[in-house]
Amino acid sequence: MTLLVRAGLLFTGNREIEHGWVLSRDGMITEIGSGRPPPADDVIDEPNCVAMPGLVNAHDHMYQWATRGYVPDGTLFEWLRALYQVWARLDADSVRAAARAAMAHLLLSGCTLSTDHHYVFPHGRPGLFEALVETASELGLRFHPCRGSMSLGEAKGGLPPDSVVEEEEAILAHTEDMVARFHNPDPGSMCRVVVAPCSPFSVTPELMRDSAALARRHGVRLHTHLAETLDEERFCLEKFGRRPYELMEDLDWTGDDVWYAHGIHLNDGEIHRVAEVKTGIAHCPSSNMRLGAGACRVEDLIRAGARVGLGVDGAASNEDANLAMEAHQALLLARVRATSPRALDARGAWRLATVGGAECLGRDDCGTLEVGKCADIACFRVDGLAHAGIQDLVAALALAPPARAQTVIVNGRAAVRDARLLTADEDEIAREIKATSARLAG
Ligand SMILES: [Zn+2]
């Protein structure tokens, strides 16, 4: 089965081709060119669009779509303390409804590959991880679900209440089971499982060590939150006598198979060490601004040679899930932080939103449009009121991000056409999430 996508401008990540086209066969790109295209079984022609690599979401908590709008003015720790009580009511149905909403919104914003860091597994509620994997398959999203975890409850000096933490043995056994059932390491894979204890203030050092050993035994990646707030830094210094990144070094949580969410409060030496060991950083600008967490040193990380991607983070701290908007926010926030308009340009921002995220997720087959890579393509209209008349269309889409993508292709198949989701009913998903949010609010 071959698919041809033509666009007014094809932005491959490396090249910009006017009237360019991409030909794919069975989900992989076989040819790229301009002018007269070859024949194909299916043709999608978008003369008023920029086609670019599908966007990559390197950090998220999809269940949070059902708990948006809580603690609108709180710090991370205040916000978490309020939300843990609500999240304790999660079950497979609420996780599925939230994931359908989160994934629908991601696809509609041009995202084709996403991770999800799920770390709340209330006692006696089976099927949460399965619900996430099934939903990605239903909606047609390339997916890297993280089996997250929390084991350090209040009684042991952690932040979460004991009602939402799990026994460490059970966490490790379930993680191993999820890897065995769902992880596919092959090129072009639609599902890869990640091992992801939540944060230094919600798991023990022992679980961090055991999780790293488990992941490396199975050849899967590691993900966690790190250096998000100064409260976290104070917690680590008081409890462990170490800065958050020093703690990661102690626990064997560095290397090219690891990526952290946020990485805001890293000092100069830590930025160079992160870059040297090729650990990734998922920068989440909207969430960081919403929680007043600080601004990631993106330009310093890039200059040091670090791998940096973008994440929308959970929708409870970013009431949106639009990767194009995160590229826009990253560009602006980097300039505010540096008090310089040259800190990050549009093409640099798109790099973070595509190949940077793919590097975090360990995908050398995603993130750019090249022969031999996955046919994951996002097409954005540039003839509407928002963009018409702007000369540099690649800059236009970062400076004025589109609300929706026109066409989205994942694995050589259309998931979005005419800015409508093809794989599920968006209105039904909205009705479902309204009912689920009300049920969880109690
Ligand atoms: Zn997060």
Side-chain angles (χ1 to χ4, degrees):
M1 186 70 187
T2 55
L3 170 71
L4 181 86
V5 178
R6 300 176 76 176
L9 180 70
L10 176 66
F11 173 40
T12 66
N14 304 311
R15 290 187 296 153
E16 290 163 35
I17 307 170
E18 284 199 28
H19 308 294
W21 47 260
V22 180
L23 182 70
S24 63
R25 177 185 292 277
D26 301 331
M28 307 303 275
I29 296 172
T30 54
E31 210 178 329
I32 289 175
S34 62
R36 200 183 162 81
D41 299 324
D42 199 3
V43 177
I44 293 175
D45 198 1
E46 297 287 12
N48 298 316
C49 282
V50 173
M52 64 168 80
L55 308 184
V56 179
N57 181 22
H59 186 63
D60 203 342
H61 313 284
M62 293 184 179
Y63 71 90
Q64 291 183 9
W65 201 272
T67 61
R68 292 184 295 160
Y70 286 74
V71 199
D73 309 311
T75 66
L76 175 70
F77 280 15
E78 291 163 353
W79 172 91
L80 278 171
R81 283 198 180 99
L83 276 162
Y84 285 138
Q85 322 294 333
V86 186
W87 296 339
R89 294 194 276 272
L90 284 174
D91 58 16
D93 289 344
S94 47
V95 167
R96 186 184 304 273
R100 292 185 88 220
M103 291 182 193
H105 209 75
L106 283 169
L107 283 164
L108 284 163
S109 82
C111 175
T112 54
L113 164 60
S114 181
T115 189
D116 181 49
H117 188 181
H118 190 93
Y119 55 83
V120 186
F121 292 86
H123 299 290
R125 316 264 173 77
L128 275 63
F129 197 88
E130 290 87 336
L132 292 165
V133 173
E134 287 160 14
T135 302
S137 171
E138 177 204 348
L139 267 65
L141 180 70
R142 202 181 294 280
F143 192 42
H144 286 210
C146 300
R147 202 311 180 174
S149 53
M150 295 195 290
S151 68
L152 189 68
E154 272 170 342
K156 292 189 207 154
L159 192 75
D162 295 320
S163 59
V164 292
V165 304
E166 298 174 89
E167 295 293 329
E168 300 194 347
E169 249 175 59
I171 290 168
L172 293 165
H174 187 252
T175 303
E176 204 150 33
D177 186 30
M178 295 302 102
V179 172
R181 281 177 60 189
F182 299 117
H183 183 70
N184 175 2
D186 298 341
S189 169
M190 289 296 286
C191 187
R192 287 192 190 163
V193 177
V194 179
V195 180
C198 188
S199 64
F201 51 84
S202 60
V203 299
T204 67
E206 292 72 34
L207 182 64
M208 291 295 286
R209 268 204 197 87
D210 291 346
S211 296
L214 186 156
R216 286 172 179 142
R217 230 172 21 248
H218 293 282
V220 302
R221 295 179 81 74
L222 287 160
H223 181 48
T224 192
H225 292 94
L226 198 80
E228 180 176 2
T229 64
L230 291 172
D231 284 339
E232 173 199 329
E233 186 174 298
R234 276 188 286 274
F235 179 96
C236 289
L237 286 168
E238 276 166 28
K239 188 158 176 81
F240 307 113
R242 310 289 276 157
R243 292 172 51 75
Y245 185 71
E246 292 173 333
L247 185 64
M248 292 302 109
E249 291 182 320
D250 288 354
L251 298 172
D252 206 13
W253 259 79
T254 64
D256 65 358
D257 58 349
V258 181
W259 88 102
Y260 308 134
H262 307 300
I264 294 170
H265 302 284
L266 298 173
N267 63 30
D268 290 345
E270 290 164 350
I271 282 183
H272 284 281
R273 299 213 293 283
V274 162
E276 203 177 334
V277 295
K278 296 190 161 37
T279 295
I281 302 285
H283 174 36
C284 306
S286 293
S287 167
N288 297 160
M289 289 190 272
R290 203 276 206 186
L291 293 168
C296 178
R297 298 172 61 182
V298 172
E299 64 278 28
D300 296 335
L301 284 160
I302 293 170
R303 202 178 308 121
R307 296 173 168 177
V308 186
L310 290 182
V312 297
D313 207 352
S317 66
N318 171 7
E319 278 67 12
D320 203 352
N322 180 335
L323 251 299
M325 178 59 82
E326 295 306 316
H328 169 77
Q329 302 279 52
L331 180 151
L332 296 182
L333 184 57
R335 293 176 182 197
V336 168
R337 196 184 184 287
T339 58
S340 164
R342 282 180 279 281
L344 185 65
D345 66 12
R347 285 159 183 81
W350 288 123
R351 208 192 122 69
L352 301 183
T354 54
V355 71
E359 284 174 355
C360 286
L361 270 51
R363 295 300 298 243
D364 56 10
D365 55 349
C366 297
T368 58
L369 299 178
E370 290 176 74
V371 171
K373 295 209 175 189
C374 295
D376 292 357
I377 307 167
C379 301
F380 297 104
R381 273 182 74 163
V382 283
D383 61 330
L385 194 53
H387 303 97
I390 303 179
Q391 291 279 315
D392 182 344
L393 294 172
V394 174
L397 290 170
L399 294 169
R404 293 167 89 99
Q406 175 72 1
T407 288
V408 179
I409 309 294
V410 187
N411 202 34
R413 287 199 196 130
V416 173
R417 286 301 312 270
D418 299 324
R420 301 289 304 173
L421 193 63
L422 299 182
T423 47
D425 179 343
E426 192 181 335
D427 296 333
E428 183 208 321
I429 291 175
R431 282 193 297 276
E432 248 177 41
I433 200 62
K434 189 177 175 198
T436 301
S437 301
R439 187 157 62 82
L440 284 176

